[in-house]
Amino acid sequence: MRLTSCGVIVEYNPFHNGHIYHLKEARKKSEADVLVAVMSGNFLQRGEPAIIDKWQRAETALHNGADLVIELPFAYAVQSADYFAKGGVKLLHSLNVESLCFGTDLTQSMDYELFGQTYVEKEKLINQRYQEIKNNGQSYPQQMTQIYRELLQQVPLDFSSPNHILGMAYAKENARYANPMSLIPITRQGSGYHDETIKSQEFSSATAIRQRVLEKDMTSISHTVPSETRDFLENTDLHSWEDYWPLLKYHLLNHSFEELSDTYQLSEGIEYRLKESVKKAASFSDFMSLVKTKRYTWTRLQRLATYLLLNVREKEIHDAWQNSYLRVLGFTEKGRQFLNQEKNHATLPIVTKIDQKNEKQLSLDIRAGQIYQLAQQHQHKEQDYYRSPIYLKGETSYESYTSYP
Amino acid sequence: MRLTSCGVIVEYNPFHNGHIYHLKEARKKSEADVLVAVMSGNFLQRGEPAIIDKWQRAETALHNGADLVIELPFAYAVQSADYFAKGGVKLLHSLNVESLCFGTDLTQSMDYELFGQTYVEKEKLINQRYQEIKNNGQSYPQQMTQIYRELLQQVPLDFSSPNHILGMAYAKENARYANPMSLIPITRQGSGYHDETIKSQEFSSATAIRQRVLEKDMTSISHTVPSETRDFLENTDLHSWEDYWPLLKYHLLNHSFEELSDTYQLSEGIEYRLKESVKKAASFSDFMSLVKTKRYTWTRLQRLATYLLLNVREKEIHDAWQNSYLRVLGFTEKGRQFLNQEKNHATLPIVTKIDQKNEKQLSLDIRAGQIYQLAQQHQHKEQDYYRSPIYLKGETSYESYTSYP
């Protein structure tokens, strides 16, 4: 009998109780047999290193409700919401997933599917309007709010909620496909996305949890995460931007303006500002504060810092978009059955190990993993070469599955 | 009355009693009023970071016999003997220095001036012969030995002695000038260049001293160095290649073959070997052992590693050769008088501080200083910006001299 599936697009930085709730709701509302998580790798949407690596986060997800974890390639993951969504939806579609379940902070109800269809219908008009106002001095979110207000009046205009923005991006992207997935929004429990306080109940935001963990305060977060996350946070080295500051500084000092200007998204002369600031800054946060202007959001600058850290070139991003793949990080028994079911139908190649045939195609993800390991004094664990998908056979044990499929 | 001068071309890594002997002999044999030391900066001829920085080494030299310390630019310093000599001789000539005093390990006596003249006369023939045999599979030293044996029969052929090789290089370069300096060879006391044992007497090689210091064994070397060197070695962080290994590794992982192939002296496909080895190596020495082949000497590979670490491009080296300068690191009162005497006669610009007018010209030295400071856990002391020459007024005290000349 054919297995049905529901997708989620996630970062799990780190995986916490809110994510368990999300997966449970996804299973319940979708009634799917299999939950497929498309997850960012070692660098994340907001341009920062993941606090623990992609394998640890994938393993935790498999222990707590996901059946299959696919890596969202760097070229889609470290991007604004629209490209992040484009990648996630593309990967799920390529695996013939029937529904997409996502969290939203929106308090009003909204028909995301209708929004997606309307958006795609009016896209030409929206783009035209954007060209007219793009130089009006306002930020991109402000400009889009104005355009949506004019052209898409039924949409709740809460651009302060990253989850709502992502939801809209999923809807827009999904509507471009001839056979779109059904969309299942779930109202978030507990804290808001950016909330930095730890709640007494079992739900706290990943932001709050990371902050406590980096302050070595494990006690106050232990009731908000599953045991696997707690173990990893307690027993492995944690990654934060400051660990990569010496490397970023070296890279910026070591390259001329001309060499730096080839970096993806580096434009408008900001390389001069970056090279001046790096001489003065004593830390990454110091550097960011020195570089920050009204023109750039913090997140956009952080993504730029990530592109610089990893020496990402425009061509690499475009090549990765043209040559997508399904990099399998792990699966349960049910996830394995689903992969077997879809392996001859998937419209993108399924990658379970890195070899000479695919290392060029995955080069950006591989490099991201190599640099991720370079943070000083960390246990250096190979991220891509010689790694096989995690295979979680039962409830609590798994073993490396080397002979897939 | 016009001050007469004698030059030395040095590295002082670190400055030791053998160097005091050298300076004393130079003063005695040359009868010059002023001793001018042209010294490598923070990276050295054999492609490695100096154990302590250029300012510390210059200060020690001024306390122990030198009157003026000029930095040998990176483009000349981190080079084979011929280019190292070319730079040193060029700088001394540009300051109208009358004699050049250098150490030699040679046990026979040799007329270096006659050798230089003969070499320059026969240069065309030597180059022609080299073109004929350069692909015979032998190393460059072996090939030159053969050519010298054929064409310059009066020269002692000891290519195992770095100091003799340098002496010949000085002589060759010096003979190209219409008014060459007089050459004063001094027989080295105590240890050979590469000798790793510490001698009971006051002379030990810099190699042996560095090795003991990096092993935290200060006791066994304290009688072989002046107090300034001892103080610096005991109280500041020491630099070795291993400190820069994480940065070199990052640079190699972070750049494509194509990007790396622009690096100065990187050719013949060695970039493939470098990129493969960096994945496996656990340390710099491990990396060097993996990369080493018969085709490359250790020193040549170490210089290549330095060019990679500092992202040195061919054009930068050639620009630096075309636009040489006299970067003053420090002087005694007599050195200051000599600089004043020569400032209108010098054929290269005298640089006493970095400003907007000269920072482009000195960019390679500035970058070398910036990267030199990046070694983890070191006291980060600015190497170029905001630094003024050391001015040693009396025997034992000095102050920063900010308003030269």
Side-chain angles (χ1 to χ4, degrees):
Chain A
M1 215 179 73
R2 191 174 173 280
L3 295 166
T4 59
S5 56
C6 171
V8 295
I9 303 170
V10 296
E11 301 221 289
Y12 294 158
N13 185 42
F15 189 96
H16 58 63
N17 291 348
H19 299 127
I20 297 180
Y21 172 82
H22 177 202
L23 289 171
K24 277 187 184 158
E25 287 292 297
R27 201 176 287 275
K28 196 165 74 187
K29 293 201 174 175
S30 70
E31 297 179 354
D33 301 313
V34 174
L35 291 186
V36 179
V38 172
M39 186 186 81
S40 304
N42 291 317
F43 288 87
L44 305 175
Q45 201 249 326
R46 287 157 54 77
E48 58 198 349
I51 190 165
I52 51 179
D53 78 28
K54 59 190 183 187
W55 300 98
Q56 296 170 317
R57 285 146 53 226
E59 183 183 330
T60 307
L62 293 171
H63 275 286
N64 290 280
D67 293 303
L68 174 60
V69 183
I70 305 282
E71 181 174 353
L72 182 62
F74 181 95
Y76 288 116
V78 185
Q79 291 283 4
S80 62
D82 280 356
Y83 287 92
F84 182 88
K86 189 186 274 289
V89 168
K90 182 180 191 175
L91 265 52
L92 291 172
H93 262 284
S94 78
L95 267 176
N96 305 308
V97 170
E98 285 98 357
S99 60
L100 169 60
C101 180
F102 53 91
T104 173
D105 301 320
L106 212 60
T107 46
Q108 318 157 245
S109 75
M110 165 174 169
D111 187 336
Y112 280 96
E113 283 168 22
L114 179 63
F115 161 73
Q117 288 157 19
T118 319
Y119 182 94
V120 171
E121 281 161 20
K122 295 196 178 178
E123 189 164 21
K124 217 171 151 182
L125 215 58
I126 292 167
N127 289 342
Q128 200 178 312
R129 192 77 189 93
Y130 175 66
Q131 289 305 318
E132 287 165 21
I133 65 166
K134 71 172 180 184
N135 293 320
N136 71 359
Q138 290 187 302
S139 71
Y140 180 75
Q142 285 171 327
Q143 291 164 341
M144 289 317 283
T145 305
Q146 183 185 329
I147 293 172
Y148 279 26
R149 195 165 276 152
E150 287 171 22
L151 300 174
L152 295 163
Q153 282 134 10
Q154 77 280 29
V155 181
L157 288 163
D158 185 359
F159 278 87
S160 68
S161 157
N163 280 310
H164 175 52
I165 292 172
L166 275 171
M168 290 195 296
Y170 298 143
K172 278 152 49 177
E173 193 55 30
N174 187 48
R176 296 186 201 286
Y177 287 82
N179 52 342
M181 297 182 277
S182 55
L183 298 182
I184 308 172
I186 296 178
T187 307
R188 261 176 84 96
Q189 299 296 305
S191 310
Y193 187 88
H194 288 307
D195 200 335
E196 295 186 3
T197 59
I198 290 289
K199 304 295 173 186
S200 55
Q201 68 273 33
E202 59 178 331
F203 299 114
S204 290
S205 77
T207 307
I209 292 168
R210 283 198 305 279
Q211 197 163 310
R212 291 303 175 288
V213 169
L214 293 173
E215 291 162 359
K216 313 276 173 214
D217 173 10
M218 289 300 296
T219 323
S220 70
I221 62 111
S222 62
H223 64 291
T224 66
V225 295
S227 63
E228 293 82 8
T229 296
R230 198 164 57 239
D231 287 350
F232 285 131
L233 293 178
E234 273 176 354
N235 301 319
T236 55
D237 286 311
L238 306 178
H239 297 238
S240 77
W241 242 119
E242 295 298 346
D243 299 319
Y244 300 92
W245 166 238
L247 300 181
L248 179 64
K249 185 172 181 181
Y250 166 65
H251 185 78
L252 284 170
L253 289 172
N254 215 17
H255 289 84
S256 65
F257 293 125
E258 203 191 336
E259 289 167 344
L260 289 179
S261 68
D262 283 347
T263 309
Y264 181 59
Q265 295 286 3
L266 193 70
S267 56
E268 302 158 350
I270 196 173
E271 60 268 34
Y272 297 94
R273 215 176 153 76
L274 294 167
K275 282 203 54 112
E276 272 312 300
S277 303
V278 81
K279 287 190 210 161
K280 297 171 200 156
S283 65
F284 180 70
S285 66
D286 198 12
F287 173 68
M288 288 287 288
S289 306
L290 285 167
V291 176
K292 180 87 180 71
T293 61
K294 255 178 85 175
R295 184 173 194 146
Y296 291 85
T297 63
W298 184 277
T299 303
R300 190 172 159 202
L301 277 180
Q302 229 179 220
R303 276 197 290 264
L304 189 52
T306 303
Y307 303 143
L308 284 161
L309 177 73
L310 301 178
N311 187 32
V312 178
R313 310 281 152 160
E314 174 123 16
K315 189 176 178 310
E316 292 181 295
I317 296 285
H318 288 274
D319 285 353
W321 286 346
Q322 294 303 313
N323 297 288
S324 296
Y325 43 86
L326 292 157
R327 172 75 193 278
V328 180
L329 293 178
F331 36 71
T332 60
E333 178 54 31
K334 213 182 272 171
R336 195 185 65 84
Q337 288 167 15
F338 174 74
L339 261 186
N340 269 325
Q341 168 185 300
E342 297 299 330
K343 71 180 177 196
N344 295 323
H345 310 292
T347 56
L348 293 175
I350 296 172
V351 174
T352 54
K353 67 168 187 230
I354 305 296
D355 55 31
Q356 285 194 319
K357 279 185 300 235
N358 59 32
E359 67 178 352
K360 197 172 178 316
Q361 190 175 10
L362 274 79
S363 60
L364 194 46
D365 291 339
I366 293 171
R367 193 161 81 241
Q370 287 170 328
I371 307 298
Y372 184 76
Q373 294 170 65
L374 290 185
Q376 285 298 305
Q377 293 160 342
H378 284 179
Q379 296 146 7
H380 290 184
K381 187 141 192 199
E382 192 66 57
Q383 288 296 302
D384 291 286
Y385 290 104
Y386 320 115
R387 292 291 287 253
S388 301
I390 295 160
Y391 177 21
L392 196 79
K393 279 185 172 164
E395 280 295 301
T396 51
S397 74
Y398 80 98
E399 59 182 71
S400 185
Y401 186 71
T402 50
S403 57
Y404 171 88
Chain B
M1 215 182 70
R2 191 172 174 280
L3 295 167
T4 59
S5 56
C6 171
V8 295
I9 303 171
V10 295
E11 301 221 290
Y12 294 159
N13 185 39
F15 188 95
H16 57 63
N17 291 349
H19 299 128
I20 297 180
Y21 171 83
H22 178 202
L23 289 171
K24 277 188 182 156
E25 286 292 296
R27 200 178 288 276
K28 197 165 73 186
K29 293 201 172 173
S30 71
E31 297 178 355
D33 301 314
V34 174
L35 291 186
V36 179
V38 171
M39 186 187 80
S40 303
N42 290 317
F43 288 87
L44 304 176
Q45 202 248 326
R46 285 158 54 78
E48 60 198 348
I51 191 165
I52 51 178
D53 77 29
K54 60 189 182 187
W55 301 97
Q56 296 169 318
R57 284 146 53 227
E59 185 184 329
T60 306
L62 294 171
H63 276 287
N64 291 281
D67 292 303
L68 174 60
V69 182
I70 305 284
E71 181 175 353
L72 182 63
F74 180 95
Y76 288 116
V78 184
Q79 292 284 5
S80 61
D82 280 356
Y83 288 92
F84 181 88
K86 190 185 273 288
V89 169
K90 182 179 190 176
L91 266 53
L92 291 173
H93 262 286
S94 78
L95 266 176
N96 306 308
V97 170
E98 285 100 357
S99 60
L100 168 61
C101 179
F102 54 91
T104 173
D105 301 321
L106 213 59
T107 45
Q108 320 157 245
S109 75
M110 164 174 169
D111 187 335
Y112 280 96
E113 281 168 22
L114 179 64
F115 162 73
Q117 286 158 21
T118 319
Y119 182 93
V120 171
E121 280 161 22
K122 296 197 179 178
E123 189 165 23
K124 218 170 150 183
L125 214 58
I126 292 167
N127 290 341
Q128 202 178 309
R129 193 75 191 93
Y130 175 67
Q131 289 305 317
E132 287 165 21
I133 65 165
K134 72 174 179 182
N135 293 320
N136 71 357
Q138 290 187 301
S139 71
Y140 180 75
Q142 286 170 326
Q143 291 163 341
M144 289 318 282
T145 304
Q146 184 185 330
I147 293 171
Y148 280 27
R149 195 165 277 154
E150 288 170 22
L151 302 173
L152 297 161
Q153 283 133 8
Q154 77 280 27
V155 180
L157 287 163
D158 185 0
F159 277 87
S160 68
S161 157
N163 281 310
H164 175 52
I165 293 172
L166 274 170
M168 290 195 294
Y170 298 144
K172 278 152 49 178
E173 192 55 30
N174 186 48
R176 296 186 200 287
Y177 287 82
N179 53 342
M181 299 182 277
S182 55
L183 298 182
I184 309 173
I186 296 177
T187 307
R188 261 177 85 96
Q189 298 296 305
S191 310
Y193 188 89
H194 288 307
D195 200 335
E196 294 185 3
T197 60
I198 290 290
K199 305 295 173 185
S200 55
Q201 68 272 33
E202 61 178 329
F203 299 114
S204 289
S205 77
T207 307
I209 293 169
R210 284 197 304 280
Q211 198 164 308
R212 292 304 173 286
V213 169
L214 292 173
E215 289 163 0
K216 312 280 175 212
D217 173 10
M218 289 300 297
T219 322
S220 71
I221 61 112
S222 63
H223 64 291
T224 66
V225 295
S227 63
E228 293 82 7
T229 295
R230 199 164 56 240
D231 286 350
F232 285 130
L233 292 178
E234 272 177 355
N235 301 318
T236 55
D237 286 311
L238 306 178
H239 297 239
S240 76
W241 242 120
E242 294 299 345
D243 299 320
Y244 300 91
W245 166 239
L247 300 181
L248 179 64
K249 185 172 180 180
Y250 167 66
H251 185 78
L252 284 171
L253 289 172
N254 215 18
H255 289 84
S256 65
F257 293 125
E258 203 191 336
E259 289 167 345
L260 289 179
S261 67
D262 284 347
T263 309
Y264 181 60
Q265 295 285 6
L266 193 70
S267 57
E268 304 158 351
I270 197 173
E271 61 268 34
Y272 296 95
R273 215 176 152 75
L274 294 167
K275 280 198 64 104
E276 271 313 300
S277 303
V278 81
K279 286 189 209 161
K280 297 171 199 157
S283 64
F284 179 70
S285 66
D286 199 11
F287 173 67
M288 287 287 287
S289 305
L290 286 167
V291 176
K292 181 85 178 72
T293 62
K294 254 179 87 175
R295 185 175 192 144
Y296 291 86
T297 63
W298 184 276
T299 303
R300 189 172 161 204
L301 276 180
Q302 226 179 221
R303 277 198 289 264
L304 189 53
T306 304
Y307 303 143
L308 284 161
L309 176 72
L310 301 178
N311 187 32
V312 177
R313 308 284 155 159
E314 173 123 16
K315 190 177 178 308
E316 292 182 294
I317 296 285
H318 288 274
D319 285 353
W321 286 347
Q322 294 302 314
N323 298 286
S324 296
Y325 42 86
L326 292 157
R327 173 75 194 280
V328 180
L329 293 178
F331 36 71
T332 60
E333 178 54 30
K334 212 182 271 172
R336 194 184 66 82
Q337 288 167 16
F338 175 74
L339 261 187
N340 269 325
Q341 168 185 299
E342 297 299 331
K343 70 181 178 196
N344 296 324
H345 310 292
T347 56
L348 293 175
I350 295 172
V351 174
T352 55
K353 67 169 186 229
I354 306 296
D355 55 32
Q356 286 193 319
K357 280 185 299 235
N358 59 33
E359 67 178 352
K360 200 171 176 319
Q361 191 174 9
L362 274 78
S363 61
L364 194 46
D365 291 339
I366 294 171
R367 193 161 81 241
Q370 288 171 328
I371 307 300
Y372 184 76
Q373 295 170 65
L374 289 185
Q376 285 298 304
Q377 294 159 342
H378 285 179
Q379 296 146 9
H380 290 184
K381 189 143 193 197
E382 190 67 56
Q383 288 295 303
D384 291 286
Y385 290 104
Y386 320 116
R387 292 291 285 255
S388 302
I390 295 160
Y391 177 21
L392 196 81
K393 279 185 171 163
E395 280 294 301
T396 52
S397 74
Y398 80 97
E399 59 182 69
S400 185
Y401 186 70
T402 49
S403 56
Y404 170 87

